[in-house]
Coordinates of all heavy atoms in Angstrom, one line a residue:
M1 N 0.9 -1.2 0.0 CA 0.0 0.0 0.0 C 0.9 1.2 0.0 O 1.8 1.4 0.8 CB -0.9 -0.1 1.2 CG -2.2 0.6 1.3 SD -3.3 0.4 -0.1 CE -4.7 -0.4 0.7
A2 N 0.6 2.1 -0.9 CA 1.4 3.4 -1.0 C 0.5 4.5 -0.5 O -0.8 4.4 -0.5 CB 1.8 3.7 -2.4
A3 N 1.1 5.7 -0.2 CA 0.3 6.8 0.3 C 0.8 8.1 -0.3 O 2.0 8.3 -0.5 CB 0.3 6.9 1.8
I4 N -0.2 9.0 -0.7 CA 0.1 10.3 -1.1 C -0.9 11.3 -0.5 O -1.9 10.8 0.1 CB 0.1 10.4 -2.7 CG1 -1.2 9.7 -3.2 CG2 1.3 9.8 -3.3 CD1 -1.3 9.7 -4.7
E5 N -0.7 12.6 -0.7 CA -1.7 13.5 -0.2 C -2.1 14.6 -1.3 O -1.3 14.8 -2.2 CB -1.1 14.3 1.0 CG -0.8 13.4 2.2 CD -0.2 14.2 3.3 OE1 0.6 15.2 3.1 OE2 -0.5 13.8 4.5
R6 N -3.3 15.1 -1.1 CA -3.7 16.2 -2.0 C -4.4 17.2 -1.1 O -5.2 16.9 -0.2 CB -4.7 15.7 -3.0 CG -4.1 15.1 -4.2 CD -3.3 16.1 -5.0 NE -2.8 15.6 -6.2 CZ -1.5 15.2 -6.3 NH1 -0.7 15.2 -5.3 NH2 -1.1 14.8 -7.5
F7 N -4.1 18.5 -1.3 CA -4.7 19.6 -0.6 C -5.7 20.3 -1.4 O -5.4 20.6 -2.6 CB -3.6 20.6 -0.1 CG -4.2 21.8 0.6 CD1 -4.7 21.7 1.9 CD2 -4.2 23.0 0.0 CE1 -5.2 22.8 2.5 CE2 -4.7 24.1 0.6 CZ -5.2 24.0 1.9
F8 N -6.9 20.5 -0.9 CA -7.9 21.3 -1.6 C -7.9 22.7 -1.0 O -8.3 22.9 0.2 CB -9.3 20.6 -1.5 CG -9.4 19.4 -2.3 CD1 -9.1 18.2 -1.8 CD2 -9.7 19.5 -3.7 CE1 -9.2 17.0 -2.6 CE2 -9.8 18.4 -4.5 CZ -9.5 17.1 -3.9
A9 N -7.6 23.7 -1.8 CA -7.4 25.1 -1.3 C -8.8 25.6 -0.7 O -9.8 25.2 -1.2 CB -7.0 26.0 -2.5
V10 N -8.6 26.5 0.2 CA -9.8 27.1 0.8 C -10.7 27.8 -0.2 O -11.9 27.8 -0.1 CB -9.4 28.1 1.9 CG1 -10.5 28.9 2.5 CG2 -8.6 27.4 3.0
D11 N -10.1 28.3 -1.2 CA -10.8 29.0 -2.3 C -11.0 28.2 -3.6 O -11.1 28.7 -4.7 CB -10.2 30.4 -2.6 CG -8.7 30.2 -3.1 OD1 -8.2 29.1 -3.0 OD2 -8.2 31.2 -3.6
H12 N -11.0 26.9 -3.4 CA -11.1 26.0 -4.6 C -12.3 26.3 -5.4 O -13.4 26.4 -4.9 CB -11.2 24.5 -4.1 CG -10.9 23.5 -5.2 ND1 -11.9 23.3 -6.2 CD2 -9.9 22.8 -5.5 CE1 -11.4 22.4 -7.0 NE2 -10.2 22.0 -6.6
P13 N -12.1 26.5 -6.7 CA -13.2 27.0 -7.5 C -14.4 26.0 -7.6 O -15.6 26.5 -7.8 CB -12.6 27.2 -8.9 CG -11.3 26.5 -8.9 CD -10.9 26.4 -7.5
A14 N -14.2 24.8 -7.4 CA -15.3 23.8 -7.5 C -16.3 23.9 -6.3 O -17.4 23.5 -6.4 CB -14.8 22.4 -7.6
A15 N -15.8 24.5 -5.2 CA -16.6 24.6 -4.0 C -17.5 25.9 -4.1 O -18.5 25.9 -3.3 CB -15.7 24.7 -2.8
Q16 N -17.3 26.8 -5.0 CA -18.1 28.0 -5.1 C -19.5 27.6 -5.6 O -19.6 27.0 -6.6 CB -17.5 29.0 -6.1 CG -16.2 29.5 -5.6 CD -15.5 30.5 -6.7 OE1 -16.1 30.8 -7.7 NE2 -14.3 30.9 -6.4
G17 N -20.5 27.9 -4.8 CA -21.8 27.5 -5.1 C -22.2 26.1 -4.8 O -23.3 25.6 -5.1
H18 N -21.3 25.4 -4.2 CA -21.5 23.9 -3.9 C -21.3 23.7 -2.4 O -20.3 23.0 -2.1 CB -20.6 23.1 -4.8 CG -21.0 21.7 -5.0 ND1 -21.1 21.1 -6.2 CD2 -21.5 20.8 -4.1 CE1 -21.5 19.9 -6.1 NE2 -21.7 19.6 -4.8
F19 N -21.8 24.1 -1.5 CA -23.1 24.8 -1.3 C -22.9 26.0 -0.5 O -22.1 26.0 0.4 CB -24.0 23.8 -0.6 CG -24.3 22.6 -1.3 CD1 -23.6 21.4 -1.1 CD2 -25.3 22.5 -2.3 CE1 -23.9 20.2 -1.8 CE2 -25.6 21.4 -3.0 CZ -24.9 20.2 -2.8
P20 N -23.5 27.1 -0.9 CA -23.3 28.4 -0.2 C -23.5 28.3 1.3 O -24.5 27.7 1.8 CB -24.4 29.3 -0.8 CG -24.6 28.7 -2.1 CD -24.5 27.2 -1.9
G21 N -22.5 28.7 2.1 CA -22.6 28.7 3.5 C -22.1 27.4 4.1 O -21.9 27.2 5.3
N22 N -22.0 26.3 3.3 CA -21.6 25.0 3.7 C -20.8 24.3 2.6 O -21.3 23.3 2.1 CB -22.8 24.2 4.2 CG -22.3 22.9 4.9 OD1 -21.2 22.8 5.4 ND2 -23.2 21.9 4.9
P23 N -19.7 24.9 2.1 CA -19.1 24.4 0.9 C -18.5 23.0 1.1 O -17.9 22.7 2.1 CB -18.0 25.4 0.6 CG -17.7 26.0 2.0 CD -19.0 26.0 2.7
I24 N -18.6 22.2 0.0 CA -17.9 20.9 -0.1 C -17.2 20.8 -1.4 O -17.6 21.5 -2.4 CB -18.9 19.8 0.1 CG1 -19.9 19.7 -1.0 CG2 -19.6 19.8 1.5 CD1 -20.7 18.4 -1.0
I25 N -16.3 19.9 -1.5 CA -15.6 19.6 -2.8 C -16.5 18.5 -3.4 O -16.8 17.5 -2.8 CB -14.2 19.0 -2.6 CG1 -13.3 20.0 -1.9 CG2 -13.6 18.5 -3.9 CD1 -13.1 21.3 -2.6
P26 N -17.0 18.8 -4.7 CA -17.9 17.8 -5.3 C -17.2 16.4 -5.4 O -16.0 16.4 -5.7 CB -18.1 18.4 -6.7 CG -17.9 19.9 -6.5 CD -16.8 20.0 -5.5
G27 N -18.0 15.4 -5.3 CA -17.5 14.0 -5.4 C -16.7 13.8 -6.7 O -15.7 13.1 -6.7
A28 N -17.2 14.3 -7.8 CA -16.5 14.1 -9.1 C -15.1 14.7 -9.1 O -14.2 14.1 -9.6 CB -17.3 14.7 -10.2
V29 N -15.0 15.9 -8.4 CA -13.7 16.5 -8.3 C -12.7 15.7 -7.4 O -11.6 15.5 -7.8 CB -13.8 18.0 -7.8 CG1 -12.4 18.6 -7.6 CG2 -14.6 18.8 -8.8
L30 N -13.2 15.2 -6.3 CA -12.4 14.4 -5.4 C -12.0 13.1 -6.1 O -10.8 12.8 -6.0 CB -13.2 14.0 -4.1 CG -12.6 13.1 -3.1 CD1 -11.3 13.7 -2.6 CD2 -13.5 12.8 -2.0
L31 N -12.9 12.5 -6.8 CA -12.5 11.2 -7.5 C -11.5 11.5 -8.6 O -10.5 10.8 -8.7 CB -13.8 10.6 -8.1 CG -13.6 9.3 -8.9 CD1 -12.9 8.2 -8.1 CD2 -14.9 8.8 -9.5
S32 N -11.7 12.5 -9.4 CA -10.8 12.9 -10.5 C -9.4 13.2 -9.9 O -8.4 12.7 -10.4 CB -11.3 14.1 -11.2 OG -10.4 14.5 -12.2
E33 N -9.3 14.0 -8.9 CA -8.0 14.4 -8.3 C -7.3 13.1 -7.7 O -6.1 13.0 -7.7 CB -8.2 15.4 -7.2 CG -8.5 16.8 -7.8 CD -7.3 17.3 -8.7 OE1 -6.2 17.2 -8.3 OE2 -7.6 17.9 -9.8
T34 N -8.1 12.2 -7.1 CA -7.6 11.0 -6.6 C -6.9 10.2 -7.7 O -5.8 9.7 -7.5 CB -8.7 10.2 -5.8 OG1 -9.1 11.0 -4.7 CG2 -8.1 8.9 -5.3
L35 N -7.6 10.0 -8.7 CA -7.1 9.1 -9.8 C -5.9 9.8 -10.5 O -4.9 9.1 -10.8 CB -8.2 8.8 -10.9 CG -9.4 8.0 -10.3 CD1 -10.4 7.8 -11.4 CD2 -8.9 6.7 -9.8
R36 N -5.9 11.1 -10.6 CA -4.8 11.8 -11.2 C -3.6 11.7 -10.3 O -2.4 11.6 -10.8 CB -5.1 13.3 -11.5 CG -6.1 13.5 -12.6 CD -6.5 14.9 -12.9 NE -5.4 15.8 -12.8 CZ -5.5 17.1 -12.7 NH1 -6.7 17.7 -12.7 NH2 -4.5 17.9 -12.6
A37 N -3.8 11.8 -9.0 CA -2.6 11.7 -8.1 C -2.0 10.3 -8.1 O -0.8 10.1 -8.1 CB -3.1 12.0 -6.6
I38 N -2.9 9.2 -8.2 CA -2.4 7.9 -8.3 C -1.6 7.7 -9.6 O -0.6 7.1 -9.7 CB -3.6 6.9 -8.2 CG1 -4.1 6.9 -6.8 CG2 -3.1 5.4 -8.6 CD1 -5.4 6.1 -6.6
E39 N -2.2 8.2 -10.7 CA -1.5 8.1 -12.0 C -0.1 8.8 -11.9 O 0.9 8.2 -12.4 CB -2.2 8.9 -13.1 CG -3.5 8.2 -13.6 CD -4.2 9.0 -14.7 OE1 -4.2 10.3 -14.6 OE2 -4.7 8.4 -15.7
A40 N 0.0 9.9 -11.4 CA 1.3 10.6 -11.2 C 2.2 9.9 -10.4 O 3.4 9.7 -10.7 CB 1.1 12.0 -10.7
S41 N 1.7 9.3 -9.3 CA 2.6 8.6 -8.4 C 3.1 7.3 -9.0 O 4.3 7.0 -8.8 CB 1.8 8.2 -7.1 OG 2.6 7.5 -6.2
L42 N 2.3 6.6 -9.7 CA 2.7 5.3 -10.4 C 3.4 5.5 -11.7 O 3.9 4.6 -12.3 CB 1.5 4.4 -10.5 CG 0.9 3.8 -9.2 CD1 -0.3 3.0 -9.5 CD2 2.0 3.0 -8.5
E43 N 3.3 6.8 -12.2 CA 3.8 7.1 -13.6 C 3.1 6.2 -14.6 O 3.8 5.6 -15.5 CB 5.3 7.0 -13.6 CG 5.9 8.1 -12.7 CD 7.5 8.0 -12.8 OE1 8.0 7.0 -13.3 OE2 8.1 9.0 -12.4
I44 N 1.8 6.1 -14.6 CA 1.0 5.4 -15.5 C -0.2 6.2 -15.9 O -0.5 7.3 -15.4 CB 0.5 4.0 -15.0 CG1 -0.5 4.3 -13.8 CG2 1.7 3.1 -14.6 CD1 -1.2 3.0 -13.3
S45 N -0.9 5.7 -16.9 CA -2.2 6.4 -17.3 C -3.3 5.4 -17.0 O -3.3 4.2 -17.4 CB -2.2 6.7 -18.8 OG -3.4 7.1 -19.2
L46 N -4.3 5.9 -16.3 CA -5.5 5.1 -16.0 C -6.6 5.4 -17.0 O -7.7 4.8 -16.9 CB -6.0 5.3 -14.6 CG -5.0 4.9 -13.5 CD1 -5.5 5.3 -12.2 CD2 -4.9 3.4 -13.5
S47 N -6.4 6.3 -18.0 CA -7.5 6.7 -18.9 C -8.2 5.5 -19.6 O -9.4 5.6 -19.8 CB -7.0 7.7 -19.9 OG -6.0 7.2 -20.7
P48 N -7.5 4.4 -20.0 CA -8.2 3.3 -20.6 C -8.8 2.4 -19.5 O -9.5 1.5 -19.8 CB -7.2 2.6 -21.4 CG -5.9 3.0 -20.9 CD -6.1 4.3 -20.2
G49 N -8.6 2.7 -18.2 CA -9.1 1.9 -17.1 C -10.6 2.1 -16.9 O -11.3 2.9 -17.5
Q50 N -11.2 1.2 -16.1 CA -12.6 1.3 -15.8 C -12.8 1.4 -14.3 O -12.3 0.6 -13.6 CB -13.3 0.0 -16.4 CG -14.7 -0.1 -16.0 CD -15.3 -1.4 -16.5 OE1 -14.6 -2.3 -17.1 NE2 -16.5 -1.7 -16.1
L51 N -13.6 2.4 -14.0 CA -13.9 2.5 -12.5 C -14.9 1.4 -12.2 O -16.0 1.2 -12.7 CB -14.6 3.9 -12.3 CG -14.9 4.2 -10.9 CD1 -13.6 4.3 -10.1 CD2 -15.6 5.5 -10.8
V52 N -14.5 0.6 -11.2 CA -15.3 -0.6 -10.8 C -16.3 -0.1 -9.7 O -17.4 -0.5 -9.7 CB -14.4 -1.7 -10.2 CG1 -15.2 -2.8 -9.7 CG2 -13.5 -2.2 -11.3
S53 N -15.8 0.7 -8.7 CA -16.6 1.2 -7.7 C -16.0 2.5 -7.1 O -14.8 2.7 -7.1 CB -16.8 0.2 -6.6 OG -15.6 0.0 -5.9
A54 N -16.9 3.3 -6.5 CA -16.5 4.5 -5.8 C -17.7 4.8 -4.8 O -18.8 4.8 -5.2 CB -16.4 5.7 -6.7
K55 N -17.3 4.9 -3.5 CA -18.2 5.2 -2.5 C -17.8 6.4 -1.7 O -16.6 6.5 -1.2 CB -18.4 4.0 -1.5 CG -19.0 2.8 -2.1 CD -19.3 1.8 -1.0 CE -20.0 0.6 -1.7 NZ -20.6 -0.3 -0.7
F56 N -18.7 7.4 -1.7 CA -18.4 8.7 -1.0 C -19.0 8.6 0.4 O -20.2 8.4 0.5 CB -18.9 9.8 -1.8 CG -18.3 9.9 -3.2 CD1 -18.9 9.3 -4.3 CD2 -17.1 10.6 -3.3 CE1 -18.3 9.4 -5.5 CE2 -16.5 10.7 -4.6 CZ -17.1 10.1 -5.7
L57 N -18.2 8.6 1.4 CA -18.6 8.3 2.8 C -18.9 9.5 3.6 O -19.7 9.5 4.5 CB -17.7 7.3 3.4 CG -17.4 6.1 2.6 CD1 -16.2 5.3 3.2 CD2 -18.6 5.2 2.6
H58 N -18.1 10.6 3.4 CA -18.2 11.8 4.1 C -17.8 13.0 3.2 O -17.0 12.8 2.3 CB -17.3 11.8 5.4 CG -17.7 10.9 6.4 ND1 -18.7 11.1 7.3 CD2 -17.3 9.6 6.7 CE1 -18.9 10.1 8.1 NE2 -18.0 9.2 7.8
P59 N -18.3 14.2 3.5 CA -17.9 15.3 2.6 C -16.4 15.7 2.8 O -15.9 15.6 3.9 CB -18.8 16.4 3.1 CG -19.4 16.0 4.3 CD -19.3 14.5 4.5
T60 N -15.8 16.2 1.7 CA -14.5 16.8 1.8 C -14.7 18.3 1.6 O -15.5 18.7 0.7 CB -13.6 16.2 0.6 OG1 -13.5 14.8 0.8 CG2 -12.3 16.9 0.6
R61 N -14.1 19.1 2.4 CA -14.3 20.5 2.4 C -13.1 21.3 1.9 O -12.0 20.8 2.0 CB -14.7 21.0 3.8 CG -15.9 20.3 4.3 CD -16.6 21.0 5.4 NE -17.7 20.2 5.9 CZ -18.9 20.2 5.3 NH1 -19.1 21.0 4.2 NH2 -19.9 19.5 5.7
P62 N -13.3 22.5 1.3 CA -12.2 23.4 1.0 C -11.3 23.5 2.2 O -11.8 23.7 3.3 CB -12.8 24.7 0.6 CG -14.2 24.3 0.2 CD -14.6 23.2 1.1
G63 N -10.0 23.4 2.0 CA -9.0 23.5 3.1 C -8.6 22.2 3.7 O -7.7 22.1 4.5
D64 N -9.2 21.1 3.2 CA -8.9 19.8 3.7 C -7.7 19.2 3.0 O -7.4 19.4 1.8 CB -10.1 18.8 3.4 CG -11.2 18.9 4.4 OD1 -11.0 19.6 5.5 OD2 -12.2 18.3 4.2
L65 N -6.9 18.5 3.8 CA -5.7 17.7 3.3 C -6.2 16.3 3.2 O -6.6 15.7 4.2 CB -4.5 17.8 4.2 CG -3.3 17.0 3.8 CD1 -2.7 17.5 2.5 CD2 -2.2 17.1 4.9
V66 N -6.2 15.7 2.0 CA -6.8 14.4 1.8 C -5.6 13.4 1.7 O -4.7 13.6 0.8 CB -7.6 14.3 0.5 CG1 -8.1 12.9 0.3 CG2 -8.8 15.3 0.7
G67 N -5.6 12.4 2.5 CA -4.6 11.3 2.4 C -5.2 10.2 1.5 O -6.3 9.8 1.6
I68 N -4.4 9.8 0.5 CA -4.8 8.7 -0.4 C -3.9 7.5 -0.3 O -2.7 7.6 -0.5 CB -4.7 9.3 -1.9 CG1 -5.5 10.6 -2.0 CG2 -5.2 8.2 -2.9 CD1 -5.2 11.3 -3.3
E69 N -4.5 6.4 0.1 CA -3.7 5.1 0.2 C -4.2 4.3 -1.0 O -5.4 4.2 -1.3 CB -4.0 4.4 1.5 CG -3.4 5.2 2.7 CD -3.5 4.4 4.0 OE1 -4.2 3.3 4.0 OE2 -2.9 4.8 4.9
Y70 N -3.3 3.6 -1.7 CA -3.7 2.8 -2.8 C -2.8 1.6 -3.0 O -1.6 1.6 -2.5 CB -3.7 3.6 -4.1 CG -2.4 4.2 -4.5 CD1 -1.5 3.5 -5.3 CD2 -1.9 5.4 -3.9 CE1 -0.3 4.0 -5.7 CE2 -0.7 5.9 -4.2 CZ 0.1 5.2 -5.1 OH 1.4 5.7 -5.4
S71 N -3.3 0.5 -3.6 CA -2.5 -0.6 -3.9 C -1.9 -0.5 -5.3 O -2.3 0.4 -6.0 CB -3.4 -1.9 -3.9 OG -4.4 -1.8 -5.0
D72 N -0.9 -1.3 -5.6 CA -0.3 -1.2 -6.9 C -1.2 -1.9 -7.9 O -2.3 -2.4 -7.6 CB 1.1 -1.8 -6.9 CG 1.2 -3.3 -6.7 OD1 0.1 -4.0 -6.8 OD2 2.2 -3.8 -6.3
C73 N -0.8 -2.0 -9.1 CA -1.6 -2.5 -10.3 C -1.4 -4.0 -10.5 O -2.0 -4.5 -11.5 CB -1.1 -1.7 -11.5 SG -2.3 -1.4 -12.7
A74 N -0.6 -4.7 -9.7 CA -0.2 -6.0 -10.0 C -1.4 -7.0 -10.2 O -1.4 -7.9 -11.0 CB 0.7 -6.6 -8.9
S75 N -2.5 -6.8 -9.5 CA -3.6 -7.7 -9.5 C -4.6 -7.3 -10.7 O -5.6 -7.9 -10.9 CB -4.4 -7.6 -8.2 OG -5.0 -6.3 -8.1
G76 N -4.3 -6.2 -11.4 CA -5.1 -5.8 -12.5 C -6.1 -4.7 -12.0 O -6.9 -4.2 -12.8
A77 N -6.1 -4.4 -10.8 CA -7.0 -3.3 -10.2 C -6.2 -2.6 -9.1 O -5.4 -3.1 -8.4 CB -8.3 -3.9 -9.7
I78 N -6.6 -1.3 -9.0 CA -6.0 -0.5 -7.9 C -7.1 -0.2 -6.9 O -8.2 0.3 -7.3 CB -5.4 0.8 -8.4 CG1 -4.2 0.5 -9.4 CG2 -5.0 1.7 -7.3 CD1 -3.7 1.8 -10.1
K79 N -6.9 -0.6 -5.7 CA -7.9 -0.2 -4.6 C -7.4 1.0 -4.0 O -6.2 1.2 -3.7 CB -8.0 -1.3 -3.6 CG -8.6 -2.6 -4.2 CD -8.6 -3.7 -3.1 CE -9.2 -5.0 -3.7 NZ -9.2 -6.1 -2.8
F80 N -8.3 2.0 -3.7 CA -7.9 3.2 -3.0 C -8.8 3.6 -1.9 O -10.0 3.2 -1.9 CB -7.7 4.3 -4.1 CG -8.9 4.6 -4.9 CD1 -9.9 5.6 -4.4 CD2 -9.2 4.0 -6.1 CE1 -11.0 5.8 -5.2 CE2 -10.3 4.3 -6.8 CZ -11.2 5.2 -6.4
A81 N -8.3 4.4 -1.0 CA -9.1 4.9 0.1 C -8.6 6.3 0.4 O -7.4 6.5 0.5 CB -9.0 4.0 1.3
C82 N -9.5 7.3 0.5 CA -9.1 8.7 0.8 C -9.6 9.0 2.2 O -10.7 8.6 2.6 CB -9.7 9.6 -0.2 SG -9.2 9.3 -1.9
S83 N -8.8 9.7 3.0 CA -9.3 10.1 4.3 C -8.9 11.6 4.6 O -7.9 12.1 4.0 CB -8.7 9.2 5.4 OG -7.3 9.2 5.3
V84 N -9.7 12.2 5.5 CA -9.4 13.5 6.0 C -9.3 13.3 7.5 O -10.3 12.9 8.1 CB -10.5 14.5 5.7 CG1 -10.2 15.8 6.4 CG2 -10.6 14.7 4.1
G85 N -8.1 13.4 8.0 CA -7.9 13.1 9.4 C -8.1 11.6 9.6 O -7.6 10.8 8.8
Q86 N -8.9 11.2 10.5 CA -9.2 9.8 10.8 C -10.5 9.3 10.0 O -10.9 8.2 10.1 CB -9.4 9.6 12.3 CG -8.2 9.8 13.1 CD -7.0 8.9 12.7 OE1 -7.2 7.7 12.5 NE2 -5.8 9.5 12.6
K87 N -11.1 10.2 9.3 CA -12.4 9.9 8.6 C -12.2 9.5 7.2 O -11.6 10.2 6.4 CB -13.3 11.1 8.6 CG -14.7 10.9 9.1 CD -15.5 12.1 9.1 CE -16.0 12.3 10.5 NZ -17.0 13.4 10.6
T88 N -12.6 8.3 6.8 CA -12.6 7.9 5.4 C -13.7 8.6 4.6 O -14.8 8.6 5.0 CB -12.8 6.4 5.3 OG1 -11.8 5.7 6.0 CG2 -12.7 5.9 3.8
V89 N -13.3 9.3 3.5 CA -14.2 10.1 2.7 C -14.5 9.4 1.4 O -15.6 9.7 0.8 CB -13.7 11.5 2.5 CG1 -13.6 12.3 3.9 CG2 -12.4 11.6 1.8
L90 N -13.7 8.6 0.9 CA -13.9 7.9 -0.4 C -13.2 6.6 -0.5 O -12.0 6.5 0.0 CB -13.4 8.8 -1.5 CG -13.3 8.3 -2.9 CD1 -14.6 7.9 -3.5 CD2 -12.6 9.3 -3.9
T91 N -13.8 5.6 -1.0 CA -13.1 4.3 -1.3 C -13.5 3.9 -2.7 O -14.5 4.3 -3.2 CB -13.5 3.2 -0.3 OG1 -14.9 2.9 -0.4 CG2 -13.2 3.5 1.1
G92 N -12.6 3.1 -3.3 CA -13.0 2.7 -4.7 C -12.0 1.7 -5.2 O -10.9 1.4 -4.6
V93 N -12.3 1.3 -6.4 CA -11.4 0.4 -7.2 C -11.5 0.8 -8.7 O -12.6 1.1 -9.2 CB -11.9 -1.1 -7.1 CG1 -11.1 -2.1 -7.9 CG2 -12.0 -1.6 -5.6
V94 N -10.3 0.8 -9.3 CA -10.2 1.1 -10.7 C -9.4 0.0 -11.4 O -8.4 -0.4 -10.9 CB -9.7 2.5 -11.0 CG1 -8.2 2.6 -10.6 CG2 -9.8 2.8 -12.5
K95 N -9.9 -0.5 -12.5 CA -9.1 -1.5 -13.3 C -8.0 -0.9 -14.0 O -8.0 0.2 -14.4 CB -10.0 -2.2 -14.3 CG -11.0 -3.2 -13.8 CD -11.7 -3.9 -14.9 CE -12.7 -4.9 -14.4 NZ -13.4 -5.6 -15.5
C96 N -6.9 -1.6 -14.1 CA -5.7 -1.2 -14.8 C -5.1 -2.4 -15.5 O -4.5 -3.2 -14.9 CB -4.7 -0.4 -13.9 SG -4.1 -1.4 -12.6
E97 N -5.3 -2.5 -16.8 CA -4.9 -3.7 -17.5 C -3.6 -3.4 -18.2 O -3.5 -2.9 -19.3 CB -6.0 -4.0 -18.5 CG -7.3 -4.4 -17.8 CD -8.4 -4.5 -18.8 OE1 -8.3 -4.3 -20.0 OE2 -9.5 -4.8 -18.3
A98 N -2.5 -3.8 -17.6 CA -1.1 -3.7 -18.2 C -0.9 -2.4 -18.8 O -0.4 -2.3 -19.9 CB -1.0 -4.8 -19.2
I99 N -1.1 -1.3 -18.0 CA -0.9 0.0 -18.5 C 0.5 0.5 -18.1 O 0.8 0.4 -16.9 CB -2.0 1.0 -17.9 CG1 -3.4 0.5 -18.3 CG2 -1.8 2.4 -18.4 CD1 -4.5 1.1 -17.5
S100 N 1.2 0.9 -19.0 CA 2.6 1.4 -18.7 C 2.9 2.7 -19.4 O 4.1 3.1 -19.4 CB 3.6 0.3 -19.1 OG 3.5 0.1 -20.5
T101 N 1.9 3.4 -19.9 CA 2.1 4.6 -20.6 C 2.3 5.7 -19.5 O 1.5 5.9 -18.7 CB 0.9 5.0 -21.4 OG1 0.6 3.9 -22.3 CG2 1.2 6.3 -22.2
P102 N 3.5 6.4 -19.6 CA 3.7 7.5 -18.6 C 2.6 8.6 -18.8 O 2.1 8.8 -19.9 CB 5.1 8.0 -18.9 CG 5.7 7.0 -19.7 CD 4.6 6.2 -20.4
V103 N 2.3 9.3 -17.7 CA 1.3 10.3 -17.7 C 1.9 11.6 -18.4 O 3.0 11.9 -18.2 CB 0.9 10.7 -16.2 CG1 0.0 11.9 -16.2 CG2 0.2 9.5 -15.6

């Protein structure tokens, strides 16, 4: 299991209007940033991969530091879990079939 981090700025543009007075980072943005961080860390492209599952468990807010733990691609799939502090905010699995194209 490897680990990386992503910080969502307090003024992150995706949080504007999502939701006024109680901003959150949209799930699609969290998922996209998670997959991009894994791609960069492994120096692979997941673009031909298939998202098997994604569960959003708690909101991620502007200003949060998200820890991303993930498995390698050896089994043909990457399992990942994102957390803010001790709270898991996202879990998922993405297929990766012998992908070795650098990002």
Side-chain angles (χ1 to χ4, degrees):
M1 206 49 116
I4 47 181
E5 295 179 328
R6 279 292 182 263
F7 176 72
F8 287 93
V10 173
D11 60 350
H12 194 285
Q16 295 176 7
H18 201 132
F19 297 94
N22 190 21
I24 65 169
I25 300 298
V29 173
L30 175 59
L31 179 59
S32 175
E33 287 297 317
T34 297
L35 295 177
R36 287 178 42 194
I38 291 169
E39 285 180 323
S41 180
L42 292 175
E43 297 181 343
I44 63 171
S45 174
L46 293 172
S47 60
Q50 176 184 356
L51 186 64
V52 176
S53 68
K55 291 189 179 196
F56 299 91
L57 305 167
H58 292 281
T60 301
R61 303 199 179 280
D64 280 349
L65 178 64
V66 177
I68 304 166
E69 292 187 351
Y70 62 94
S71 64
D72 65 20
C73 211
S75 68
I78 296 173
K79 294 179 183 178
F80 58 89
C82 301
S83 59
V84 174
Q86 298 298 317
K87 231 179 232 187
T88 302
V89 296
L90 168 63
T91 61
V93 178
V94 63
K95 284 186 182 179
C96 60
E97 299 169 359
I99 302 165
S100 61
T101 306
V103 175

